[in-house]
Amino acid sequence: MRFHLARFALATGFALTEHGRNRFAMVLVTVFVPLWTVLAYLAMPDTPARMHLRATGETLTPHGNELTEISGALNAVTLITGFMMFAATFSGSRFDRRLAAAGYPRTHLVLAKVTALALISAVVAAYATAVTCLVWTPRQPLLLGAALFSAGLTYGALGVGFGSVLRREVEGMFAIVMTSIIDLALQNPIMSSGADNPVVRYLPSYGAMQASTAAGFSTHPVPGHLAIQLAWFAGAALIALTGFCRGTRSALPTGAQLSEPVPGGGAPSLPVPRGTDASPVPAPDTTTP
């Protein structure tokens, strides 16, 4: 058990260190989230917009700037988490392959990436929720934070998938940006006249958009739509896992495994191929008969 916990902690440290080196992402979190959400609130007119919220069945008339601010917060969270996870996966793919080639358990590497994604999504979602509450007061701030968190998880998993299968950095960045813009723009009734179209139910952030809108303008909880968003995360995580396993499979030596440490024997040894004798070879006898 200690062996697995040590490997998981070490892999998580690698993942968080990789994110900490991305200074541009830190600037985006600090500046882009409040800039985008506040500008969306101040620049848009506060004219009430009539809309039907499927999550609760209510017909609402929220202020246009508040509704756009929610969409802007979702856009900021999804872009940042997707970008951070893509950048870490894209730049760290060779390192992951070297670890896999050395016999490092891929399960621990995957769990470390999931842990890092959850921490990043939680921090960015809490920050975006706090900024929103400074501008205006949603009716359910905790539900808003949960919706932003689940959307961040989904796009973070998509970022890992893009980083595992795409070969150029600009391709991944374009894929994340365009997916987020199309996804959220079609669901905002201020920007799209087709926001009530049934097709939007199949967009990646549909559950988060419905839940965050209910959090802003309704008092009804919507656990079902949070579950929809988590289902999207599970699907995106499966795609990311497939891409990660495909990218590291060729790096695995045949029959290599990382031996567990013997109690009192110190640190674990390097991977040893199965079927080989790991005992030391005795030195030849050089004495003269």
Side-chain angles (χ1 to χ4, degrees), residues 65-252:
N65 57 343
E66 295 175 351
L67 185 60
T68 305
E69 192 275 338
I70 285 181
S71 179
L74 277 169
N75 186 224
V77 170
T78 54
L79 283 176
I80 289 175
T81 54
F83 164 70
M84 291 184 67
M85 296 306 298
F86 168 78
T89 304
F90 187 84
S91 62
S93 58
R94 292 183 179 179
F95 184 60
D96 290 335
R97 286 196 293 269
R98 288 198 297 268
L99 287 176
Y104 208 101
R106 289 190 294 173
T107 302
H108 298 74
L109 296 176
V110 171
L111 291 176
K113 290 183 182 298
V114 173
T115 302
L117 170 58
L119 291 175
I120 291 170
S121 299
V123 170
V124 177
Y127 185 44
T129 303
V131 172
T132 300
C133 292
L134 291 176
V135 178
W136 62 285
T137 305
R139 295 192 177 183
Q140 302 183 74
L142 293 179
L143 178 59
L144 177 60
L148 295 176
F149 172 70
S150 59
L153 287 177
T154 302
Y155 272 80
L158 288 176
V160 174
F162 290 146
S164 299
V165 300
L166 298 179
R167 293 293 177 263
R168 292 190 295 177
E169 192 169 5
V170 66
E171 296 174 355
M173 297 305 301
F174 182 80
I176 293 171
V177 170
M178 293 308 299
T179 302
S180 179
I181 291 177
I182 294 173
D183 180 13
L184 294 167
L186 291 178
Q187 298 186 66
N188 189 348
I190 304 298
M191 302 179 182
S192 173
S193 59
D196 290 333
N197 194 300
V199 175
V200 300
R201 298 181 180 182
Y202 304 101
L203 294 175
S205 66
Y206 171 74
M209 186 66 179
Q210 290 287 306
S212 59
T213 304
F217 312 107
S218 175
T219 57
H220 295 282
V222 286
H225 284 75
L226 287 178
I228 292 175
Q229 193 60 49
L230 292 178
W232 263 101
F233 163 64
L238 181 60
I239 296 174
L241 178 61
T242 303
F244 177 80
C245 291
R246 190 185 70 173
T248 57
R249 182 182 299 132
S250 59
L252 290 173

